[in-house]
Amino acid sequence: MSKQLEHGMQCRLIGRTRIQYRRQIELNILHIQSDQNAEPRDPVRGRRLKAAGMVAGVPDVLITGFGARVLWIELKAPGGKISKSQRAWHETHRTMGFQVEVCDDEETAWALIQDFARVSEWAWEQAQQAAAGAADGAPWEAV
């Protein structure tokens, strides 16, 4: 039952993000994707996925933002706990500088996505302004 709750939460968050941040996605300010670890699989399919590079512990949702920003969100049913492989993956990637969060409710995850999108858009706007300034010439040049 908890996998179904997590899967539903994941689908709603992905859909909500694609609707709310369509412009940012179209402008490549924001990208969102998810893994398919929640799907049941038989041992043969599991071996094929591992051979193709799937590893245990990868969070459910990946969001990348302008300026090489990365947010991973692990979704859990209320009160759910992360596994040992998830804990190891999260610790490794936090050490590498990535933001990895565990959420057991949809609104907390949504708030993280909103904050991430705001900062990504701000970084994009700053880069656009800097590029426009560079195209106009340095402000210290004599007129």
Side-chain angles (χ1 to χ4, degrees), residues 2 5-10 12-13 16 60-61 73-81 101-114:
S2 66
L5 290 172
E6 292 170 13
H7 180 74
M9 192 175 0
Q10 180 174 322
R12 287 187 299 276
L13 284 168
R16 195 172 175 183
D60 301 306
V61 178
I73 302 175
E74 178 65 47
L75 300 170
K76 290 293 175 191
K81 304 290 182 202
E101 305 291 343
V102 178
C103 298
D104 68 356
D105 74 274
E106 199 167 323
E107 289 311 309
T108 300
W110 181 242
L112 284 167
I113 292 169
Q114 289 178 304

Side-chain angles (χ1 to χ4, degrees), residues 62-103:
L62 165 65
I63 305 175
T64 54
F66 189 84
R69 299 185 65 249
V70 177
L71 169 63
W72 293 92
I73 302 175
E74 178 65 47
L75 300 170
K76 290 293 175 191
K81 304 290 182 202
I82 61 173
S83 67
K84 287 182 182 179
S85 62
Q86 289 170 328
R87 184 176 313 284
W89 196 99
H90 297 182
E91 288 174 7
T92 297
H93 286 76
R94 283 182 182 127
T95 300
M96 294 168 63
F98 294 108
Q99 182 180 356
V100 182
E101 305 291 343
V102 178
C103 298

